[in-house]
Amino acid sequence: MPELPEVETVRGELEPLLAGRTLHRVEILDERLTRPFDPAAVARELEGERVAAVERRGKYLLLRFESGRVLLVHLRMTGGFRSLPASHGRAVVTLDDESVVVYRDVRRFGTWLLLEPDEVDAYLAERIGEEPLGPRFTAKQLAARLAGRRAPIKALLLDQRIVAGLGNIYADEALWYARVHPLRPGGELGPDEIRAIVRGARRALRVGIERRGATLSDYATPNGDRGTMQEEFKVYGRTGEPCPRCGTPIAKTRAGGRGTHYCPRCQR
Ligand SMILES: [Zn+2]
């Protein structure tokens, strides 16, 4: 599933394709994409909108139009855009310069939601917390969110309202950098550990963005490139392989229902 670095990579490639362009023709071929709204009605609403910017909040892509409306795209498991002809196309957007952008999604969990200008902020505020690479994601702010919480820190980091954009890969990597055991209850972590988690999350995400995301299955960028973050994994998916810091075999457990990788020696 695309996490913050993968979505940011997609955003970076979509922006030059879409910014300043008008959506000339929109075909939505999959009714699940806009459910519960009628895909043909959404497509008609989108036609004629001019893209002001392509932004990201957490794992959401925001196509911000000059009208103030926003098309909020969540890629979920396998959603993505291509500027090339693509199989599994769920929507096809023809721009005013006749270029075509295809939205494809093999497993069809992705969503498109068109929001009116006055709906955008409230919609996002209800669903996602601070941007981990932004100035407001601090140890103090994270400590306040974790206070009194008995769930494992790994599960809490996956909660998009606590921190936006982390998923299973980058949460595991962040906790390895921070040297914090993934099953530690969030509310029992000390200030130094919380500071280390903030730094670890930022580091894992920055490496992910530099490597243009991880390519594990179906993910590719709009230009068809594939990220190489998987070559940088310290713990994720490396069960039994040596910890890059101490050589101890990486262990696997479960937290919040998700497979969780950690070093039993470095992360206590
Ligand atoms: Zn280790």
Side-chain angles (χ1 to χ4, degrees):
M1 174 168 182
E3 303 180 27
L4 188 154
E6 289 76 29
V7 179
E8 181 60 29
T9 303
V10 171
R11 188 208 66 75
E13 284 195 7
L14 268 185
E15 169 112 65
L17 298 174
L18 295 182
R21 301 253 74 99
T22 299
L23 310 191
H24 187 66
R25 184 147 167 262
V26 178
E27 296 165 276
I28 298 174
L29 310 166
D30 181 359
E31 64 178 20
R32 276 174 62 169
L33 192 58
T34 56
R35 214 161 47 185
F37 301 103
D38 173 40
V42 174
R44 274 198 306 277
E45 291 291 324
L46 287 170
E47 287 176 349
E49 291 283 357
R50 186 160 188 240
V51 180
V54 182
E55 301 169 4
R56 181 194 54 73
R57 276 287 280 123
K59 301 180 196 172
Y60 288 101
L61 278 171
L62 282 71
L63 274 59
R64 197 174 285 280
F65 300 114
E66 287 182 351
S67 64
R69 291 162 129 192
V70 165
L71 179 66
L72 194 65
V73 176
H74 202 301
L75 304 173
R76 300 289 170 198
M77 303 292 286
T78 55
F81 289 88
R82 294 290 188 282
S83 59
L84 318 159
S87 60
H88 301 287
R90 304 297 177 199
V92 180
V93 177
T94 306
L95 303 168
D96 54 349
D97 64 352
E98 295 300 314
S99 63
V100 173
V101 173
V102 176
Y103 174 81
R104 71 190 295 275
D105 193 343
V106 174
R107 297 192 56 188
R108 302 173 62 207
F109 290 115
T111 55
W112 283 19
L113 178 64
L114 181 60
L115 293 171
E116 296 300 324
D118 61 351
E119 297 173 328
V120 179
D121 290 347
Y123 187 92
L124 291 172
E126 251 177 50
R127 288 164 178 81
I128 50 179
E130 297 297 340
E131 284 293 319
L133 296 176
R136 284 159 57 185
F137 180 62
T138 62
K140 191 177 166 194
Q141 184 271 341
L142 181 59
R145 299 264 175 149
L146 298 179
R149 301 294 298 264
R150 291 158 71 171
I153 182 62
K154 164 69 187 285
L156 294 168
L157 290 178
L158 296 179
D159 181 341
Q160 300 299 297
R161 290 161 300 180
I162 291 179
V163 48
L166 287 181
N168 212 32
I169 292 174
Y170 294 93
D172 280 3
E173 296 291 297
L175 290 171
W176 180 84
Y177 282 116
R179 299 175 185 248
V180 171
H181 194 288
L183 298 182
R184 293 277 307 284
E188 291 179 11
L189 296 170
D192 289 347
E193 291 171 306
I194 293 176
R195 264 194 297 279
I197 291 170
V198 167
R199 281 197 302 267
R202 289 206 179 114
R203 184 156 173 200
L205 293 168
R206 286 204 182 105
V207 175
I209 290 170
E210 276 167 28
R211 300 301 295 260
R212 304 178 57 72
T215 302
L216 296 180
S217 55
D218 202 50
Y219 164 77
T221 72
N223 296 333
D225 297 338
R226 293 181 166 268
T228 57
M229 175 62 185
Q230 63 278 8
E231 297 165 10
E232 296 285 334
F233 288 163
K234 308 300 185 193
V235 288
Y236 183 81
R238 297 190 62 245
T239 310
E241 293 176 38
C243 168
R245 205 156 39 205
C246 74
T248 303
I250 299 301
K252 188 173 182 186
T253 182
R254 288 188 84 74
R258 306 292 301 274
T260 293
H261 311 80
Y262 67 103
C263 171
R265 183 163 176 209
C266 294
Q267 296 171 256
R268 300 217 181 231

